[in-house]
Amino acid sequence: QVQLVESGGGLVQTGDSLRLSCVSSGLTFSSYGMAWFRQAPGKEREFVAAMRRGDTIAYYADSVRGRFTISRDNAKNTVTLQMNSLSPEDTAVYYCAVANRDISYHLKSFEALYDYWGQGTQVTVSS
């Protein structure tokens, strides 16, 4: 049984940082591409960042590039999202997702690409 468990969300102020983690179990972590998505109130879920399996190439949404960093630790079955310079526009539920296939630049934001999803962790940024 595959499980993805996110943690690290919370309430912060504009300009603060947060580090989200997603621990996986029940899968061969190194064989999976990893990604983070988010869903703000009243909006559709959107792509945030992804890292391919097999290397450290990462993709980012334009809205977070330069502020967020995705990384993975295969030994710990964990993917993290370091979020800096947070703004109220970053307020959302953040979800990690995994794909047992290559994540390409053109397909990275397609939710159907991903096989498993976590339950989400709330990030709230106050102004």
Side-chain angles (χ1 to χ4, degrees):
Q1 181 181 358
V2 175
Q3 283 192 316
L4 302 176
V5 180
E6 301 100 332
S7 62
L11 172 63
V12 296
Q13 296 184 333
T14 297
D16 285 350
S17 298
L18 273 178
R19 185 178 180 88
L20 305 183
S21 294
C22 175
V23 180
S24 68
S25 60
L27 53 80
T28 304
F29 184 78
S30 60
S31 299
Y32 283 74
M34 318 297 295
W36 288 93
F37 286 72
R38 66 185 181 186
Q39 186 168 22
K43 296 186 177 180
E44 293 187 352
R45 190 157 55 186
E46 65 176 2
F47 170 81
V48 175
M51 178 167 278
R52 303 192 323 184
R53 63 182 182 178
D55 57 36
T56 58
I57 292 177
Y59 307 115
Y60 296 94
D62 290 343
S63 59
V64 307
R65 186 176 293 111
R67 300 188 298 123
F68 291 12
T69 302
I70 186 172
S71 61
R72 64 189 297 162
D73 186 336
N74 289 339
K76 297 182 179 180
N77 291 350
T78 299
V79 57
T80 61
L81 186 68
Q82 177 67 43
M83 306 186 296
N84 299 330
S85 302
L86 287 163
S87 72
E89 289 69 34
D90 296 314
T91 293
V93 177
Y94 284 72
Y95 300 88
C96 70
V98 299
N100 189 15
R101 57 187 57 80
D102 294 328
I103 299 174
S104 69
Y105 173 81
H106 297 289
L107 297 179
K108 63 188 184 298
S109 62
F110 285 92
E111 295 190 20
L113 183 72
Y114 299 90
D115 300 292
Y116 302 101
W117 294 77
Q119 82 289 346
T121 185
Q122 176 70 49
V123 172
T124 304
V125 185
S126 64
S127 58

